């Protein structure tokens, strides 16, 4: 199935410089970025729902390389690009497709774990993830979600039974292309003129290693925001303050 950016369900809020927020797996944009909606007081927010989320048509499977061109197209004449988790992987690819349309790039805990391959803990997490995804059809959705969230360190509440949008999101996750297969074009991104920021949650040596390698290879600023594990945007004021300070610094005087 071929999708264009026009097919996506996109929420627009606020006024001011444009900021696009790209969500990750399981939950849609409004859930991932619920604490960032307050930023619409000073920024023009664009929250696309990835294929299969909200009313966006689904792809046969979520795939960072297939979704990146949609996000790149939505950048329009230019925007600050922010991605979390799987959305951060997509944002890396999208920024490389249209670097001239990116005012800045902020990513938190992308799942491109192979960037830090060779670290025993990273290699172990990749092996565990491959075991889970290769056997996805043998798991009930609730079992799969609990294993997945435990692996990444998510602090989202997981109910005792899955229904509605959460069940739908887990079914999308179970057939998603694993993010550790990603090999984002970091050399292209490093030479791009826009500023970069890499954020981790201070909860996982695996994600700390990945974010350290990524920041070094991008020449990016590096930040740690603790308190909600992998679910960094849910720190609310702490995340918003760091993001706003970075975005404001990237805006022309």
């Amino acid at each position: 199935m071929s999708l264009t950016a026009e097919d996506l369900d996109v929420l627009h809020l606020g006024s001011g410089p444009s900021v696009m927020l790209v969500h990750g797996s399981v939950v849609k944009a409004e859930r991932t970025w619920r604490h960032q909606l307050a930023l619409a007081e000073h920024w023009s927010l664009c929250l696309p729902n990835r294929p299969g989320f909200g009313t966006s048509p689904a792809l046969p499977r979520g795939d960072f390389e297939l979704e990146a061109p949609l996000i790149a197209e939505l950048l329009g004449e230019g925007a600050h690009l922010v991605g979390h988790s799987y959305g951060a992987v997509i944002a890396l690819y999208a920024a490389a497709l249209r670097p001239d349309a990116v005012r800045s790039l902020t990513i938190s805990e992308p799942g491109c774990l192979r960037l830090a391959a060779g670290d025993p803990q990273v290699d172990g997490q990749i092996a565990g993830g491959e075991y889970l995804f290769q056997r996805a059809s043998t798991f009930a959705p609730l079992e799969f979600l609990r294993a997945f969230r435990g692996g990444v360190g998510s602090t989202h509440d997981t109910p005792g039974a899955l229904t509605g949008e959460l069940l739908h999101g887990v079914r999308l996750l179970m057939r998603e292309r694993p993010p550790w297969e990603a090999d984002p074009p970091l050399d292209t991104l490093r030479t791009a003129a826009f500023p970069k920021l890499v954020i981790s949650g201070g909860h996982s040596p695996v994600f700390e290693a990945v974010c350290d390698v990524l920041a070094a290879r991008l020449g990016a600023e590096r930040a740690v925001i603790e308190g909600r594990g992998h679910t960094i945007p849910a720190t609310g004021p702490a995340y918003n303050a760091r993001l706003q300070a970075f975005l404001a610094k990237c805006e022309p005087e």
Side-chain angles (χ1 to χ4, degrees), residues 3 12 14 18 49 67 105 115 120-121 127 134 143 171 198 202 209:
L3 295 182
H12 293 277
S18 181
N49 273 308
E67 297 180 46
L105 176 65
L115 294 180
Q121 293 182 88
Q134 288 169 2
E143 294 173 322
R171 286 174 172 159
V198 176

Side-chain angles (χ1 to χ4, degrees), residues 180-196:
W180 51 83
E181 294 182 1
D183 184 18
L186 300 187
D187 290 340
T188 298
L189 293 171
R190 183 180 181 88
T191 59
F194 55 81
K196 301 102 179 172

Side-chain angles (χ1 to χ4, degrees), residues 157-180:
D157 292 331
T158 301
L162 302 182
T163 59
E165 288 186 350
L166 185 55
L167 177 59
H168 175 71
V170 176
R171 286 174 172 159
L172 291 174
L173 169 68
M174 292 172 76
R175 62 176 188 266
E176 197 166 63
R177 182 181 178 186
W180 51 83

Side-chain angles (χ1 to χ4, degrees), residues 27-85:
V27 296
K28 64 183 183 178
E30 295 93 324
R31 175 65 177 168
T32 298
W33 303 112
R34 63 195 183 280
H35 297 286
Q36 284 65 58
L37 301 183
L39 299 178
E41 183 177 351
H42 302 289
W43 306 88
S44 179
L45 303 183
C46 173
L47 286 79
N49 273 308
R50 293 177 47 213
F53 293 88
T55 60
S56 295
L59 292 166
R61 69 187 303 213
D63 187 320
F64 46 84
E65 284 192 277
L66 296 180
E67 297 180 46
L70 308 178
I71 298 303
E73 186 178 345
L74 285 175
L75 290 169
E77 296 181 359
H80 298 281
L81 182 55
V82 181
H84 173 62
S85 194

